[in-house]
Amino acid sequence: QVQLVESGGGVVQPGRSLRLSCAASGFSFSNSGMHWVRQAPGKGLEWVAVMSYDGRNKYYVDSVKGRVTISRDNSRNRVYLQMNSLRGEDTAVYYCVKDDEVKLRRGYYYYMDVWGKGTTVTVSS
Amino acid sequence: SYELTQPPSVSVSPGQTASITCSGDKLGDKYVCWYQQKPGQSPVLVIYQDTMRPSGIPERFSGSNSGNTATLTIRGTQAMDEADYYCQAWDSSTAIFGGGTKLTVL
């Protein structure tokens, strides 16, 4: 079955960096786009970033642009989120999410279908 | 920037029909997903592409999307359906989530 296991979270001081990792199994990783979505304590879901199956395309939410980089290693079935210049508002549970797609008449529709259990990032001095 | 608006809470009696709305400008021109999140758990996809149910999701869950409003409908609501529900759509290569709706079954 599809499994996504996040790691790398922890307590970090403002301004420091952290690298999250997500180990994927149970599906064709190299054919799937991968996302990171976060959820601040007691708050709703916020999409952070996505990377296409081949790593060519990546998109970010405005609030993290320039500070966060998504990457992947298809040989290791892993996706990463490098977070720099961390702020208090980055405190959240970070979920790794697998993509799936529907072929349309023109192009594809992509949706997030399976979520990991998340890893917690706390930014605090 | 694009926004999706959901009511903060919806209440329903067991066995009745619950409707959760998600509003956005010309939302009917986009595809909508719905996610269910129970306390302490990760979100679970319950509807994608407006109306499609992933395998394993009960038939009592259905979705629709037209005009400026998408709706998640749960028929014969059960106690186990009590959860937070989030709608999601894409806008200019950015995934947008609604603020979430807490469904209470009482």
Side-chain angles (χ1 to χ4, degrees):
Chain A
Q1 75 281 20
V2 175
Q3 207 167 11
L4 300 168
V5 180
E6 303 92 337
S7 60
V11 180
V12 61
Q13 292 179 328
R16 304 297 289 262
S17 299
L18 208 58
R19 188 200 198 203
L20 306 183
S21 178
C22 171
S25 60
F27 65 101
S28 179
F29 180 79
S30 59
N31 288 330
S32 294
M34 296 297 297
H35 304 254
W36 288 95
V37 177
R38 67 185 179 183
Q39 186 170 34
K43 302 295 184 183
L45 302 173
E46 180 183 38
W47 175 83
V48 176
V50 62
M51 175 168 265
S52 60
Y53 68 99
D54 56 5
R56 288 184 184 180
N57 298 302
K58 32 189 166 179
Y59 302 99
Y60 302 91
V61 68
D62 284 348
S63 59
V64 305
K65 281 179 183 174
R67 299 189 300 120
V68 166
T69 303
I70 188 171
S71 61
R72 65 189 295 158
D73 184 344
N74 284 351
S75 68
R76 299 187 64 202
N77 284 9
R78 285 182 180 264
V79 62
Y80 305 97
L81 192 70
Q82 176 69 42
M83 301 189 295
N84 302 325
S85 303
L86 282 161
R87 308 166 179 168
E89 53 265 38
D90 296 317
T91 294
V93 174
Y94 284 74
Y95 295 102
C96 171
V97 191
K98 169 190 165 297
D99 217 38
D100 203 345
E101 66 185 30
V102 174
K103 190 173 190 324
L104 306 174
R105 253 178 284 179
R106 278 194 290 183
Y108 289 85
Y109 161 63
Y110 297 95
Y111 60 96
M112 294 173 270
D113 66 341
V114 179
W115 299 57
K117 293 191 184 309
T119 186
T120 300
V121 173
T122 303
V123 183
S124 173
S125 54
Chain B
S1 61
Y2 196 81
E3 292 185 0
L4 294 175
T5 301
Q6 297 181 235
S9 62
V10 168
S11 297
V12 64
S13 300
Q16 299 304 300
T17 296
S19 295
I20 299 173
T21 58
C22 174
S23 300
D25 185 47
K26 297 180 182 176
L27 184 57
D29 292 344
K30 307 177 187 296
Y31 285 128
V32 173
C33 284
W34 290 92
Y35 299 91
Q36 175 194 69
Q37 186 180 33
K38 296 181 180 179
Q41 298 184 19
S42 303
V44 172
L45 177 70
V46 294
I47 294 289
Y48 67 97
Q49 202 178 8
D50 294 341
T51 62
M52 304 300 293
R53 262 181 301 105
S55 60
I57 299 302
E59 290 183 12
R60 62 179 182 274
F61 288 86
S62 64
S64 64
N65 184 18
S66 179
N68 294 322
T69 304
T71 303
L72 174 68
T73 302
I74 310 172
R75 291 184 166 77
T77 308
Q78 301 182 9
M80 68 171 66
D81 301 328
E82 187 162 285
D84 293 327
Y85 291 84
Y86 296 89
C87 60
Q88 180 265 316
W90 287 95
D91 180 68
S92 301
S93 301
T94 299
I96 309 295
F97 285 97
T101 298
K102 181 175 182 58
L103 177 67
T104 302
V105 182
L106 39 66

